[in-house]
Amino acid sequence: MSAKKSLPRGALARAEKILAALQDRYPRPATHLEADNAWELLVATVLAAQCTDARVNTVTPELFRRWPGPAELALATQEELESVIRSTGFYHSKARNLLGAAQRVVSVYGGEVPPRLDELITLPGVARKTANVVLFGAFGINEGLAVDTHVKRISYRLGLTAHTDPVDIEHDLMRLFPRAEWGDVNHRMVWFGRDVCHARSPRCAECEMADFCPRREPPKGK
Protein backbone atom coordinates (compact mmCIF):
# COMPACT_ATOMS: atom_id res chain seq x y z
CA MET A 1 0.00 0.00 0.00
CA SER A 2 1.32 3.43 -0.89
CA ALA A 3 0.59 4.68 2.63
CA LYS A 4 3.54 2.58 3.86
CA LYS A 5 6.06 4.65 1.92
CA SER A 6 8.36 6.97 3.80
CA LEU A 7 6.85 10.10 5.27
CA PRO A 8 8.09 13.48 4.01
CA ARG A 9 11.43 14.51 5.50
CA GLY A 10 10.96 16.19 8.88
CA ALA A 11 7.29 15.20 9.09
CA LEU A 12 7.51 13.76 12.60
CA ALA A 13 9.22 16.84 14.05
CA ARG A 14 6.73 19.11 12.28
CA ALA A 15 3.81 17.03 13.55
CA GLU A 16 4.89 17.64 17.14
CA LYS A 17 5.05 21.39 16.56
CA ILE A 18 1.76 21.38 14.66
CA LEU A 19 -0.04 19.48 17.41
CA ALA A 20 1.23 21.91 20.06
CA ALA A 21 0.23 24.93 17.95
CA LEU A 22 -3.25 23.58 17.25
CA GLN A 23 -3.77 22.70 20.91
CA ASP A 24 -2.83 26.24 21.92
CA ARG A 25 -5.12 27.81 19.32
CA TYR A 26 -8.08 25.48 19.95
CA PRO A 27 -7.93 24.17 23.53
CA ARG A 28 -11.50 22.81 23.41
CA PRO A 29 -12.11 21.39 19.93
CA ALA A 30 -15.48 20.00 18.89
CA THR A 31 -17.56 19.41 15.81
CA HIS A 32 -19.72 22.25 14.50
CA LEU A 33 -22.50 19.79 13.69
CA GLU A 34 -25.34 19.78 16.20
CA ALA A 35 -26.32 16.25 17.28
CA ASP A 36 -27.52 14.64 20.49
CA ASN A 37 -26.69 11.00 19.76
CA ALA A 38 -24.87 8.66 17.37
CA TRP A 39 -27.72 8.45 14.87
CA GLU A 40 -28.13 12.22 14.68
CA LEU A 41 -24.38 12.66 14.21
CA LEU A 42 -24.34 10.07 11.44
CA VAL A 43 -27.21 11.78 9.63
CA ALA A 44 -25.68 15.23 10.04
CA THR A 45 -22.28 14.04 8.79
CA VAL A 46 -23.82 12.45 5.69
CA LEU A 47 -25.70 15.69 4.98
CA ALA A 48 -22.52 17.74 5.46
CA ALA A 49 -20.88 16.32 2.33
CA GLN A 50 -20.41 19.23 -0.10
CA CYS A 51 -22.40 21.41 2.32
CA THR A 52 -21.57 23.70 5.23
CA ASP A 53 -22.18 22.59 8.81
CA ALA A 54 -24.16 25.76 9.36
CA ARG A 55 -26.59 24.83 6.58
CA VAL A 56 -26.92 21.28 7.91
CA ASN A 57 -27.75 22.66 11.36
CA THR A 58 -30.70 24.55 9.88
CA VAL A 59 -32.07 21.36 8.31
CA THR A 60 -31.64 18.70 10.98
CA PRO A 61 -34.07 20.11 13.60
CA GLU A 62 -37.03 19.56 11.26
CA LEU A 63 -35.64 16.25 10.06
CA PHE A 64 -35.31 14.91 13.61
CA ARG A 65 -38.68 16.35 14.61
CA ARG A 66 -40.38 14.36 11.86
CA TRP A 67 -38.20 11.25 12.14
CA PRO A 68 -36.55 11.11 15.60
CA GLY A 69 -34.56 7.95 14.94
CA PRO A 70 -33.71 5.29 12.37
CA ALA A 71 -36.92 3.33 12.99
CA GLU A 72 -39.03 6.34 12.01
CA LEU A 73 -36.85 7.37 9.09
CA ALA A 74 -36.85 3.84 7.70
CA LEU A 75 -40.58 4.27 7.03
CA ALA A 76 -40.25 7.62 5.22
CA THR A 77 -40.49 7.97 1.46
CA GLN A 78 -37.68 9.26 -0.73
CA GLU A 79 -39.80 12.26 -1.71
CA GLU A 80 -40.63 13.18 1.89
CA LEU A 81 -36.99 13.15 2.95
CA GLU A 82 -35.82 15.01 -0.14
CA SER A 83 -38.25 17.84 0.60
CA VAL A 84 -36.59 18.37 4.00
CA ILE A 85 -32.91 18.05 3.01
CA ARG A 86 -33.06 19.69 -0.44
CA SER A 87 -31.04 22.76 0.60
CA THR A 88 -28.00 20.61 1.56
CA GLY A 89 -27.37 19.73 -2.09
CA PHE A 90 -27.10 16.30 -3.74
CA TYR A 91 -30.36 15.56 -1.99
CA HIS A 92 -31.36 12.63 -4.23
CA SER A 93 -28.33 10.53 -3.29
CA LYS A 94 -28.27 11.76 0.33
CA ALA A 95 -31.93 10.82 0.81
CA ARG A 96 -31.38 7.42 -0.78
CA ASN A 97 -28.36 6.73 1.41
CA LEU A 98 -30.01 7.90 4.63
CA LEU A 99 -33.07 5.77 4.00
CA GLY A 100 -30.86 2.78 3.27
CA ALA A 101 -28.78 3.45 6.38
CA ALA A 102 -31.88 3.74 8.56
CA GLN A 103 -33.30 0.50 7.21
CA ARG A 104 -30.02 -1.36 7.77
CA VAL A 105 -29.54 0.02 11.28
CA VAL A 106 -33.03 -1.20 12.14
CA SER A 107 -32.89 -4.60 10.41
CA VAL A 108 -29.29 -5.58 11.15
CA TYR A 109 -28.27 -3.65 14.28
CA GLY A 110 -31.49 -3.55 16.26
CA GLY A 111 -32.03 0.18 15.78
CA GLU A 112 -28.68 1.18 17.32
CA VAL A 113 -25.75 2.67 15.42
CA PRO A 114 -22.93 0.12 15.67
CA PRO A 115 -19.76 1.36 17.42
CA ARG A 116 -17.43 -0.45 15.00
CA LEU A 117 -15.77 0.91 11.87
CA ASP A 118 -16.15 -2.31 9.89
CA GLU A 119 -19.89 -2.30 10.59
CA LEU A 120 -20.44 1.42 10.07
CA ILE A 121 -18.95 1.34 6.58
CA THR A 122 -21.57 -1.23 5.55
CA LEU A 123 -24.23 1.48 5.90
CA PRO A 124 -25.15 3.28 2.66
CA GLY A 125 -23.44 6.67 2.43
CA VAL A 126 -20.96 5.91 5.22
CA ALA A 127 -17.30 5.67 4.20
CA ARG A 128 -14.23 5.82 6.47
CA LYS A 129 -14.41 9.58 7.03
CA THR A 130 -18.01 9.54 8.25
CA ALA A 131 -17.41 6.39 10.28
CA ASN A 132 -14.43 7.97 12.05
CA VAL A 133 -16.43 11.11 12.82
CA VAL A 134 -19.25 9.05 14.35
CA LEU A 135 -16.94 6.74 16.29
CA PHE A 136 -15.09 9.60 17.95
CA GLY A 137 -17.96 12.06 18.28
CA ALA A 138 -20.55 9.62 19.60
CA PHE A 139 -18.49 6.89 21.27
CA GLY A 140 -15.12 8.48 22.02
CA ILE A 141 -13.38 5.84 19.92
CA ASN A 142 -10.25 6.71 17.93
CA GLU A 143 -10.25 3.96 15.32
CA GLY A 144 -8.95 6.24 12.57
CA LEU A 145 -8.61 9.90 11.67
CA ALA A 146 -11.26 11.56 9.53
CA VAL A 147 -9.79 13.23 6.44
CA ASP A 148 -12.05 15.87 4.91
CA THR A 149 -11.09 18.62 2.46
CA HIS A 150 -9.58 20.80 5.21
CA VAL A 151 -7.50 17.99 6.71
CA LYS A 152 -6.38 16.87 3.26
CA ARG A 153 -5.25 20.37 2.24
CA ILE A 154 -3.54 21.26 5.51
CA SER A 155 -1.75 17.92 5.82
CA TYR A 156 -0.21 18.32 2.38
CA ARG A 157 0.55 22.02 2.79
CA LEU A 158 2.31 21.45 6.12
CA GLY A 159 4.37 18.59 4.75
CA LEU A 160 2.79 15.82 6.83
CA THR A 161 2.06 13.66 3.78
CA ALA A 162 3.04 13.28 0.16
CA HIS A 163 -0.26 11.61 -0.70
CA THR A 164 -3.49 13.01 -2.10
CA ASP A 165 -5.74 10.00 -1.49
CA PRO A 166 -7.68 10.45 1.77
CA VAL A 167 -7.08 6.89 2.98
CA ASP A 168 -3.33 7.17 2.41
CA ILE A 169 -3.30 10.56 4.15
CA GLU A 170 -5.19 9.05 7.07
CA HIS A 171 -2.57 6.34 7.50
CA ASP A 172 0.23 8.93 7.43
CA LEU A 173 -1.48 11.06 10.07
CA MET A 174 -2.12 8.01 12.24
CA ARG A 175 1.65 7.38 12.22
CA LEU A 176 2.44 10.98 13.11
CA PHE A 177 -0.02 11.79 15.90
CA PRO A 178 -0.76 9.94 19.16
CA ARG A 179 -3.88 7.80 18.89
CA ALA A 180 -5.55 9.65 21.76
CA GLU A 181 -5.35 12.85 19.68
CA TRP A 182 -6.78 11.60 16.37
CA GLY A 183 -10.35 12.84 16.80
CA ASP A 184 -9.28 16.20 18.15
CA VAL A 185 -6.66 16.60 15.41
CA ASN A 186 -9.48 16.36 12.89
CA HIS A 187 -11.56 19.01 14.67
CA ARG A 188 -8.60 21.33 15.15
CA MET A 189 -7.52 21.07 11.50
CA VAL A 190 -11.07 21.74 10.32
CA TRP A 191 -11.29 24.86 12.48
CA PHE A 192 -7.82 25.96 11.38
CA GLY A 193 -8.74 25.45 7.74
CA ARG A 194 -11.83 27.59 8.12
CA ASP A 195 -10.16 30.33 10.15
CA VAL A 196 -6.65 30.64 8.70
CA CYS A 197 -5.41 28.06 6.19
CA HIS A 198 -7.88 28.78 3.41
CA ALA A 199 -7.62 26.90 0.13
CA ARG A 200 -7.06 29.88 -2.16
CA SER A 201 -5.71 32.62 0.08
CA PRO A 202 -4.16 31.22 3.26
CA ARG A 203 -3.63 33.87 5.93
CA CYS A 204 0.03 33.00 6.50
CA ALA A 205 0.76 36.28 8.29
CA GLU A 206 -1.64 35.17 11.06
CA CYS A 207 -0.33 31.61 11.28
CA GLU A 208 1.83 30.50 14.18
CA MET A 209 3.19 27.71 11.98
CA ALA A 210 4.47 29.97 9.20
CA ASP A 211 8.12 29.62 10.26
CA PHE A 212 8.21 25.87 9.65
CA CYS A 213 5.43 25.40 7.08
CA PRO A 214 6.84 24.25 3.70
CA ARG A 215 3.72 25.61 1.95
CA ARG A 216 3.41 22.60 -0.32
CA GLU A 217 0.47 22.47 -2.70
CA PRO A 218 -0.86 19.20 -4.17
CA PRO A 219 -0.77 18.65 -7.94
CA LYS A 220 -3.67 20.29 -9.75
CA GLY A 221 -6.70 18.09 -9.91
CA LYS A 222 -5.70 16.24 -6.74
Side-chain angles (χ1 to χ4, degrees):
M1 181 182 293
S2 59
K4 293 182 180 179
K5 292 182 178 179
S6 297
L7 294 163
R9 181 174 297 180
L12 183 57
R14 274 195 302 277
E16 293 177 358
K17 294 179 181 178
I18 289 164
L19 180 59
L22 290 175
Q23 287 174 333
D24 286 343
R25 180 180 276 269
Y26 303 112
R28 296 178 180 82
T31 179
H32 287 88
L33 293 171
E34 297 174 0
D36 291 331
N37 53 55
W39 172 249
E40 291 187 0
L41 182 59
L42 187 152
V43 171
T45 306
V46 170
L47 292 177
Q50 303 298 313
C51 180
T52 65
D53 291 353
R55 169 61 64 181
V56 171
N57 290 338
T58 68
V59 169
T60 49
E62 174 62 13
L63 191 159
F64 298 138
R65 184 191 69 80
R66 295 180 62 171
W67 305 291
E72 293 82 9
L73 189 62
L75 301 177
T77 67
Q78 175 96 10
E79 293 73 19
E80 288 174 329
L81 183 54
E82 286 182 0
S83 69
V84 174
I85 68 171
R86 182 180 298 268
S87 64
T88 67
F90 301 95
Y91 57 92
H92 292 304
S93 60
K94 289 180 181 180
R96 183 172 61 251
N97 286 333
L98 287 176
L99 291 173
Q103 291 159 6
R104 183 169 176 79
V105 167
V106 171
S107 64
V108 178
Y109 300 111
E112 300 292 332
V113 175
R116 289 170 52 99
L117 187 143
D118 60 343
E119 294 177 335
L120 281 168
I121 60 176
T122 69
L123 303 177
V126 178
R128 285 188 64 92
K129 183 192 78 171
T130 297
N132 282 325
V133 169
V134 172
L135 285 173
F136 179 69
F139 302 107
I141 297 173
N142 277 310
E143 184 68 25
L145 200 156
V147 177
D148 65 1
T149 55
H150 293 293
V151 175
K152 178 179 177 179
R153 176 179 73 255
I154 292 167
S155 298
Y156 200 98
R157 188 173 277 168
L158 284 169
L160 297 176
T161 184
H163 295 110
T164 55
D165 177 77
V167 175
D168 289 341
I169 294 170
E170 178 186 1
H171 285 291
D172 283 348
L173 297 180
M174 289 165 66
R175 294 164 65 188
L176 290 168
F177 294 107
R179 183 169 188 150
E181 298 290 340
W182 291 350
D184 285 337
V185 164
N186 166 262
H187 291 324
R188 288 180 167 117
M189 281 195 180
V190 169
W191 286 23
F192 184 67
R194 290 173 176 170
D195 295 343
V196 180
C197 200
H198 304 157
R200 294 185 180 180
S201 301
R203 300 161 64 178
C204 298
E206 302 176 25
C207 178
E208 54 271 72
M209 293 177 269
D211 288 345
F212 59 85
C213 176
R215 295 175 175 80
R216 299 173 65 245
E217 297 297 334
K220 291 185 177 179
K222 298 294 187 178

PDB file of all heavy atoms in Angstrom, residues 179-200:
ATOM      1  N   ARG A 179      -2.522   8.289  19.130  1.00  0.00           N
ATOM      2  CA  ARG A 179      -3.881   7.800  18.894  1.00  0.00           C
ATOM      3  C   ARG A 179      -4.920   8.578  19.697  1.00  0.00           C
ATOM      4  O   ARG A 179      -6.019   8.862  19.195  1.00  0.00           O
ATOM      5  CB  ARG A 179      -3.964   6.310  19.240  1.00  0.00           C
ATOM      6  CG  ARG A 179      -5.322   5.704  18.952  1.00  0.00           C
ATOM      7  CD  ARG A 179      -5.301   4.197  19.048  1.00  0.00           C
ATOM      8  NE  ARG A 179      -6.563   3.622  18.585  1.00  0.00           N
ATOM      9  CZ  ARG A 179      -6.660   2.430  18.031  1.00  0.00           C
ATOM     10  NH1 ARG A 179      -5.579   1.683  17.868  1.00  0.00           N
ATOM     11  NH2 ARG A 179      -7.838   1.974  17.644  1.00  0.00           N
ATOM     12  N   ALA A 180      -4.591   8.928  20.909  1.00  0.00           N
ATOM     13  CA  ALA A 180      -5.549   9.651  21.757  1.00  0.00           C
ATOM     14  C   ALA A 180      -5.917  11.010  21.185  1.00  0.00           C
ATOM     15  O   ALA A 180      -6.930  11.597  21.587  1.00  0.00           O
ATOM     16  CB  ALA A 180      -4.977   9.814  23.161  1.00  0.00           C
ATOM     17  N   GLU A 181      -5.122  11.517  20.241  1.00  0.00           N
ATOM     18  CA  GLU A 181      -5.349  12.847  19.682  1.00  0.00           C
ATOM     19  C   GLU A 181      -6.067  12.827  18.338  1.00  0.00           C
ATOM     20  O   GLU A 181      -6.413  13.882  17.821  1.00  0.00           O
ATOM     21  CB  GLU A 181      -4.002  13.572  19.498  1.00  0.00           C
ATOM     22  CG  GLU A 181      -3.232  13.817  20.781  1.00  0.00           C
ATOM     23  CD  GLU A 181      -3.891  14.858  21.661  1.00  0.00           C
ATOM     24  OE1 GLU A 181      -4.706  15.658  21.144  1.00  0.00           O
ATOM     25  OE2 GLU A 181      -3.596  14.873  22.864  1.00  0.00           O
ATOM     26  N   TRP A 182      -6.298  11.659  17.748  1.00  0.00           N
ATOM     27  CA  TRP A 182      -6.781  11.604  16.371  1.00  0.00           C
ATOM     28  C   TRP A 182      -8.077  12.377  16.153  1.00  0.00           C
ATOM     29  O   TRP A 182      -8.203  13.159  15.211  1.00  0.00           O
ATOM     30  CB  TRP A 182      -6.961  10.151  15.933  1.00  0.00           C
ATOM     31  CG  TRP A 182      -5.685   9.398  15.769  1.00  0.00           C
ATOM     32  CD1 TRP A 182      -4.415   9.921  15.775  1.00  0.00           C
ATOM     33  CD2 TRP A 182      -5.536   7.986  15.588  1.00  0.00           C
ATOM     34  NE1 TRP A 182      -3.489   8.916  15.599  1.00  0.00           N
ATOM     35  CE2 TRP A 182      -4.148   7.719  15.490  1.00  0.00           C
ATOM     36  CE3 TRP A 182      -6.431   6.920  15.508  1.00  0.00           C
ATOM     37  CZ2 TRP A 182      -3.650   6.427  15.298  1.00  0.00           C
ATOM     38  CZ3 TRP A 182      -5.941   5.629  15.324  1.00  0.00           C
ATOM     39  CH2 TRP A 182      -4.574   5.389  15.220  1.00  0.00           C
ATOM     40  N   GLY A 183      -9.075  12.157  16.988  1.00  0.00           N
ATOM     41  CA  GLY A 183     -10.350  12.842  16.803  1.00  0.00           C
ATOM     42  C   GLY A 183     -10.226  14.344  16.947  1.00  0.00           C
ATOM     43  O   GLY A 183     -10.793  15.105  16.157  1.00  0.00           O
ATOM     44  N   ASP A 184      -9.460  14.768  17.930  1.00  0.00           N
ATOM     45  CA  ASP A 184      -9.279  16.203  18.147  1.00  0.00           C
ATOM     46  C   ASP A 184      -8.412  16.834  17.072  1.00  0.00           C
ATOM     47  O   ASP A 184      -8.590  18.016  16.746  1.00  0.00           O
ATOM     48  CB  ASP A 184      -8.666  16.457  19.532  1.00  0.00           C
ATOM     49  CG  ASP A 184      -9.678  16.265  20.649  1.00  0.00           C
ATOM     50  OD1 ASP A 184     -10.892  16.380  20.382  1.00  0.00           O
ATOM     51  OD2 ASP A 184      -9.250  16.004  21.791  1.00  0.00           O
ATOM     52  N   VAL A 185      -7.462  16.084  16.524  1.00  0.00           N
ATOM     53  CA  VAL A 185      -6.658  16.605  15.413  1.00  0.00           C
ATOM     54  C   VAL A 185      -7.570  16.946  14.236  1.00  0.00           C
ATOM     55  O   VAL A 185      -7.420  17.992  13.597  1.00  0.00           O
ATOM     56  CB  VAL A 185      -5.573  15.593  14.982  1.00  0.00           C
ATOM     57  CG1 VAL A 185      -5.004  15.945  13.597  1.00  0.00           C
ATOM     58  CG2 VAL A 185      -4.441  15.567  16.005  1.00  0.00           C
ATOM     59  N   ASN A 186      -8.525  16.084  13.963  1.00  0.00           N
ATOM     60  CA  ASN A 186      -9.482  16.361  12.886  1.00  0.00           C
ATOM     61  C   ASN A 186     -10.232  17.661  13.149  1.00  0.00           C
ATOM     62  O   ASN A 186     -10.305  18.547  12.290  1.00  0.00           O
ATOM     63  CB  ASN A 186     -10.473  15.214  12.743  1.00  0.00           C
ATOM     64  CG  ASN A 186     -11.670  15.590  11.879  1.00  0.00           C
ATOM     65  OD1 ASN A 186     -12.733  15.948  12.412  1.00  0.00           O
ATOM     66  ND2 ASN A 186     -11.521  15.536  10.572  1.00  0.00           N
ATOM     67  N   HIS A 187     -10.806  17.798  14.350  1.00  0.00           N
ATOM     68  CA  HIS A 187     -11.564  19.005  14.675  1.00  0.00           C
ATOM     69  C   HIS A 187     -10.685  20.251  14.585  1.00  0.00           C
ATOM     70  O   HIS A 187     -11.101  21.279  14.032  1.00  0.00           O
ATOM     71  CB  HIS A 187     -12.160  18.899  16.087  1.00  0.00           C
ATOM     72  CG  HIS A 187     -13.248  17.881  16.204  1.00  0.00           C
ATOM     73  ND1 HIS A 187     -14.153  17.629  15.198  1.00  0.00           N
ATOM     74  CD2 HIS A 187     -13.584  17.050  17.233  1.00  0.00           C
ATOM     75  CE1 HIS A 187     -14.999  16.688  15.594  1.00  0.00           C
ATOM     76  NE2 HIS A 187     -14.667  16.326  16.815  1.00  0.00           N
ATOM     77  N   ARG A 188      -9.492  20.168  15.133  1.00  0.00           N
ATOM     78  CA  ARG A 188      -8.604  21.334  15.145  1.00  0.00           C
ATOM     79  C   ARG A 188      -8.188  21.736  13.729  1.00  0.00           C
ATOM     80  O   ARG A 188      -8.120  22.922  13.407  1.00  0.00           O
ATOM     81  CB  ARG A 188      -7.384  21.048  16.017  1.00  0.00           C
ATOM     82  CG  ARG A 188      -7.702  21.011  17.507  1.00  0.00           C
ATOM     83  CD  ARG A 188      -6.467  20.726  18.341  1.00  0.00           C
ATOM     84  NE  ARG A 188      -6.718  21.000  19.756  1.00  0.00           N
ATOM     85  CZ  ARG A 188      -6.674  20.094  20.723  1.00  0.00           C
ATOM     86  NH1 ARG A 188      -6.368  18.828  20.437  1.00  0.00           N
ATOM     87  NH2 ARG A 188      -6.929  20.427  21.976  1.00  0.00           N
ATOM     88  N   MET A 189      -7.898  20.749  12.875  1.00  0.00           N
ATOM     89  CA  MET A 189      -7.519  21.074  11.502  1.00  0.00           C
ATOM     90  C   MET A 189      -8.695  21.677  10.734  1.00  0.00           C
ATOM     91  O   MET A 189      -8.508  22.584   9.926  1.00  0.00           O
ATOM     92  CB  MET A 189      -6.999  19.828  10.785  1.00  0.00           C
ATOM     93  CG  MET A 189      -5.572  19.467  11.119  1.00  0.00           C
ATOM     94  SD  MET A 189      -4.909  18.280   9.909  1.00  0.00           S
ATOM     95  CE  MET A 189      -3.240  18.061  10.554  1.00  0.00           C
ATOM     96  N   VAL A 190      -9.890  21.178  10.981  1.00  0.00           N
ATOM     97  CA  VAL A 190     -11.072  21.742  10.320  1.00  0.00           C
ATOM     98  C   VAL A 190     -11.253  23.203  10.725  1.00  0.00           C
ATOM     99  O   VAL A 190     -11.469  24.078   9.882  1.00  0.00           O
ATOM    100  CB  VAL A 190     -12.332  20.925  10.672  1.00  0.00           C
ATOM    101  CG1 VAL A 190     -13.588  21.655  10.205  1.00  0.00           C
ATOM    102  CG2 VAL A 190     -12.260  19.545  10.023  1.00  0.00           C
ATOM    103  N   TRP A 191     -11.156  23.475  12.013  1.00  0.00           N
ATOM    104  CA  TRP A 191     -11.290  24.856  12.485  1.00  0.00           C
ATOM    105  C   TRP A 191     -10.186  25.733  11.897  1.00  0.00           C
ATOM    106  O   TRP A 191     -10.442  26.850  11.448  1.00  0.00           O
ATOM    107  CB  TRP A 191     -11.219  24.891  14.009  1.00  0.00           C
ATOM    108  CG  TRP A 191     -12.456  24.380  14.705  1.00  0.00           C
ATOM    109  CD1 TRP A 191     -13.396  23.534  14.189  1.00  0.00           C
ATOM    110  CD2 TRP A 191     -12.870  24.688  16.034  1.00  0.00           C
ATOM    111  NE1 TRP A 191     -14.361  23.275  15.123  1.00  0.00           N
ATOM    112  CE2 TRP A 191     -14.071  23.969  16.266  1.00  0.00           C
ATOM    113  CE3 TRP A 191     -12.343  25.464  17.054  1.00  0.00           C
ATOM    114  CZ2 TRP A 191     -14.753  24.023  17.474  1.00  0.00           C
ATOM    115  CZ3 TRP A 191     -13.022  25.521  18.264  1.00  0.00           C
ATOM    116  CH2 TRP A 191     -14.219  24.813  18.476  1.00  0.00           C
ATOM    117  N   PHE A 192      -8.955  25.211  11.901  1.00  0.00           N
ATOM    118  CA  PHE A 192      -7.818  25.964  11.382  1.00  0.00           C
ATOM    119  C   PHE A 192      -7.981  26.225   9.885  1.00  0.00           C
ATOM    120  O   PHE A 192      -7.657  27.316   9.401  1.00  0.00           O
ATOM    121  CB  PHE A 192      -6.525  25.179  11.647  1.00  0.00           C
ATOM    122  CG  PHE A 192      -5.278  25.891  11.237  1.00  0.00           C
ATOM    123  CD1 PHE A 192      -4.865  27.043  11.889  1.00  0.00           C
ATOM    124  CD2 PHE A 192      -4.492  25.404  10.199  1.00  0.00           C
ATOM    125  CE1 PHE A 192      -3.703  27.706  11.514  1.00  0.00           C
ATOM    126  CE2 PHE A 192      -3.333  26.054   9.815  1.00  0.00           C
ATOM    127  CZ  PHE A 192      -2.933  27.198  10.474  1.00  0.00           C
ATOM    128  N   GLY A 193      -8.505  25.263   9.166  1.00  0.00           N
ATOM    129  CA  GLY A 193      -8.739  25.451   7.739  1.00  0.00           C
ATOM    130  C   GLY A 193      -9.783  26.502   7.456  1.00  0.00           C
ATOM    131  O   GLY A 193      -9.679  27.244   6.478  1.00  0.00           O
ATOM    132  N   ARG A 194     -10.771  26.592   8.309  1.00  0.00           N
ATOM    133  CA  ARG A 194     -11.825  27.589   8.118  1.00  0.00           C
ATOM    134  C   ARG A 194     -11.370  28.989   8.555  1.00  0.00           C
ATOM    135  O   ARG A 194     -11.745  29.982   7.943  1.00  0.00           O
ATOM    136  CB  ARG A 194     -13.064  27.185   8.908  1.00  0.00           C
ATOM    137  CG  ARG A 194     -13.772  25.964   8.350  1.00  0.00           C
ATOM    138  CD  ARG A 194     -14.881  25.499   9.268  1.00  0.00           C
ATOM    139  NE  ARG A 194     -15.610  24.383   8.683  1.00  0.00           N
ATOM    140  CZ  ARG A 194     -16.495  23.652   9.331  1.00  0.00           C
ATOM    141  NH1 ARG A 194     -16.778  23.931  10.597  1.00  0.00           N
ATOM    142  NH2 ARG A 194     -17.112  22.655   8.733  1.00  0.00           N
ATOM    143  N   ASP A 195     -10.543  29.035   9.591  1.00  0.00           N
ATOM    144  CA  ASP A 195     -10.156  30.331  10.151  1.00  0.00           C
ATOM    145  C   ASP A 195      -8.939  30.950   9.472  1.00  0.00           C
ATOM    146  O   ASP A 195      -8.885  32.169   9.289  1.00  0.00           O
ATOM    147  CB  ASP A 195      -9.850  30.188  11.649  1.00  0.00           C
ATOM    148  CG  ASP A 195     -11.063  29.815  12.472  1.00  0.00           C
ATOM    149  OD1 ASP A 195     -12.196  29.975  11.979  1.00  0.00           O
ATOM    150  OD2 ASP A 195     -10.880  29.346  13.617  1.00  0.00           O
ATOM    151  N   VAL A 196      -7.957  30.121   9.124  1.00  0.00           N
ATOM    152  CA  VAL A 196      -6.653  30.637   8.701  1.00  0.00           C
ATOM    153  C   VAL A 196      -6.174  30.045   7.384  1.00  0.00           C
ATOM    154  O   VAL A 196      -5.879  30.769   6.428  1.00  0.00           O
ATOM    155  CB  VAL A 196      -5.583  30.371   9.788  1.00  0.00           C
ATOM    156  CG1 VAL A 196      -4.220  30.914   9.336  1.00  0.00           C
ATOM    157  CG2 VAL A 196      -5.988  30.992  11.118  1.00  0.00           C
ATOM    158  N   CYS A 197      -6.071  28.727   7.323  1.00  0.00           N
ATOM    159  CA  CYS A 197      -5.408  28.064   6.191  1.00  0.00           C
ATOM    160  C   CYS A 197      -6.408  27.793   5.068  1.00  0.00           C
ATOM    161  O   CYS A 197      -6.711  26.655   4.735  1.00  0.00           O
ATOM    162  CB  CYS A 197      -4.746  26.768   6.658  1.00  0.00           C
ATOM    163  SG  CYS A 197      -3.468  26.174   5.545  1.00  0.00           S
ATOM    164  N   HIS A 198      -6.891  28.882   4.471  1.00  0.00           N
ATOM    165  CA  HIS A 198      -7.881  28.775   3.409  1.00  0.00           C
ATOM    166  C   HIS A 198      -7.270  28.155   2.161  1.00  0.00           C
ATOM    167  O   HIS A 198      -6.056  28.209   1.947  1.00  0.00           O
ATOM    168  CB  HIS A 198      -8.448  30.149   3.069  1.00  0.00           C
ATOM    169  CG  HIS A 198      -9.039  30.843   4.244  1.00  0.00           C
ATOM    170  ND1 HIS A 198      -9.187  32.212   4.315  1.00  0.00           N
ATOM    171  CD2 HIS A 198      -9.528  30.368   5.421  1.00  0.00           C
ATOM    172  CE1 HIS A 198      -9.732  32.551   5.472  1.00  0.00           C
ATOM    173  NE2 HIS A 198      -9.946  31.451   6.158  1.00  0.00           N
ATOM    174  N   ALA A 199      -8.113  27.591   1.318  1.00  0.00           N
ATOM    175  CA  ALA A 199      -7.623  26.903   0.129  1.00  0.00           C
ATOM    176  C   ALA A 199      -6.946  27.860  -0.839  1.00  0.00           C
ATOM    177  O   ALA A 199      -5.841  27.591  -1.331  1.00  0.00           O
ATOM    178  CB  ALA A 199      -8.776  26.180  -0.559  1.00  0.00           C
ATOM    179  N   ARG A 200      -7.571  28.989  -1.123  1.00  0.00           N
ATOM    180  CA  ARG A 200      -7.056  29.880  -2.162  1.00  0.00           C
ATOM    181  C   ARG A 200      -6.156  30.983  -1.613  1.00  0.00           C
ATOM    182  O   ARG A 200      -5.181  31.346  -2.248  1.00  0.00           O
ATOM    183  CB  ARG A 200      -8.223  30.498  -2.934  1.00  0.00           C
ATOM    184  CG  ARG A 200      -9.026  29.484  -3.724  1.00  0.00           C
ATOM    185  CD  ARG A 200     -10.093  30.158  -4.568  1.00  0.00           C
ATOM    186  NE  ARG A 200     -10.865  29.188  -5.340  1.00  0.00           N
ATOM    187  CZ  ARG A 200     -11.862  29.507  -6.167  1.00  0.00           C
ATOM    188  NH1 ARG A 200     -12.213  30.789  -6.299  1.00  0.00           N
ATOM    189  NH2 ARG A 200     -12.498  28.568  -6.834  1.00  0.00           N
TER     190      ARG A 200
END
